[in-house]
Amino acid sequence: MIEVEAKAKIDNFNTMRRKILKLNALKIKDEHQEDIYFNSPLKDFAKTDEALRIRKTSSDKGDKIFVTYKGPKIDKESKTRKEVEMEIESERKAYEIFEYLGFKAVRTVIKDREYFQYENYEISLDNVHGLNPYMEIETVVEEGNDYTNAQEGIFKLFEKLGITDGFERTSYLELLEKLDCK
């Protein structure tokens, strides 16, 4: 699967939430996420623009745990990339397996996320601990299919919501790492 995604800084959640709901988007859920990111013993993911994480989620729909690999970005406009994800039963066991294979945990990113569905797009308002407010819009396309229409649709949706700048291709992990370097 190819995840087609873009995110932008927003001024505040309340204003954006009202705009999203005015489009008749459906609120899906609120979710707390804790992402533990790992680096590989074979290559530096910061240099190859890849990511490997364990995500623990909590919502009114229950708790879940996922392992996710994200490949390098495949264009210059958005965060479009291959994504492979699977639900697992034990965060601790996955963590141990990664460590035994030489992967090192580099950082935990914590966020509270509010999800909305609009047509075939998922919109999230992201309160990432340590960062200003962000909004992400994403959709998925099957591998081998052209993703440019999906990408154009995402930017048109941002425009409908009054966002024409402030786009960020950097991951939340990278944004937090940059703050640490200041």
Side-chain angles (χ1 to χ4, degrees):
M1 145 177 92
I2 301 294
E3 177 185 62
V4 185
E5 171 187 305
K7 74 171 168 247
K9 293 178 189 176
I10 59 174
D11 292 329
N12 68 71
F13 295 118
N14 290 332
T15 301
M16 195 52 59
R17 186 179 302 108
R18 281 192 297 275
K19 289 180 178 183
I20 292 167
L21 292 172
K22 195 172 182 178
L23 289 176
N24 291 321
L26 177 65
K27 182 171 179 179
I28 302 169
K29 64 182 172 182
D30 292 314
E31 189 171 81
H32 178 78
Q33 299 176 344
E34 294 184 21
D35 297 339
I36 304 170
Y37 285 89
F38 292 84
N39 203 2
S40 168
L42 305 174
K43 54 187 173 179
D44 184 353
F45 286 161
K47 290 180 181 167
T48 63
D49 197 24
E50 295 169 273
L52 178 66
R53 73 173 181 227
I54 299 171
R55 170 173 283 173
K56 185 169 52 173
T57 67
S58 300
S59 75
D60 60 352
K61 298 180 183 202
D63 299 343
K64 294 184 177 184
I65 304 166
F66 301 91
V67 170
T68 307
Y69 164 78
K70 292 185 176 231
K73 295 177 195 95
I74 57 177
D75 69 43
K76 302 278 186 217
E77 310 260 331
S78 66
K79 290 182 61 193
T80 301
R81 55 171 69 190
K82 179 177 182 66
E83 180 177 305
V84 180
E85 182 172 76
M86 74 175 169
E87 189 171 353
I88 61 171
E89 292 181 22
S90 171
E91 173 189 3
R92 183 185 57 77
K93 287 180 182 178
Y95 193 101
E96 284 181 31
I97 289 169
F98 290 169
E99 282 198 322
Y100 286 133
L101 294 172
F103 289 82
K104 301 287 183 213
V106 293
R107 185 175 201 129
T108 299
V109 176
I110 299 171
K111 67 179 158 286
D112 295 297
R113 188 170 246 188
E114 190 173 350
Y115 286 99
F116 300 86
Q117 187 70 42
Y118 178 75
E119 296 177 354
N120 60 329
Y121 300 100
E122 185 177 83
I123 303 169
S124 63
L125 298 178
D126 293 344
N127 180 12
V128 180
H129 299 204
L131 296 177
N132 290 325
Y134 278 89
M135 180 173 72
E136 284 188 1
I137 301 175
E138 73 177 60
T139 191
V140 295
V141 297
E142 292 299 318
E143 235 175 302
N145 290 343
D146 184 21
Y147 61 86
T148 54
N149 287 339
Q151 188 180 60
E152 287 172 15
I154 286 173
F155 286 109
K156 284 179 183 174
L157 182 50
F158 269 113
E159 201 172 312
K160 275 185 181 180
L161 293 167
I163 297 174
T164 57
D165 61 8
F167 295 103
E168 183 63 64
R169 289 184 71 240
T170 307
S171 71
Y172 293 133
L173 171 65
E174 292 168 305
L175 290 170
L176 289 166
E177 296 286 319
K178 281 183 189 177
L179 283 177
D180 288 349
C181 292
K182 289 184 179 182

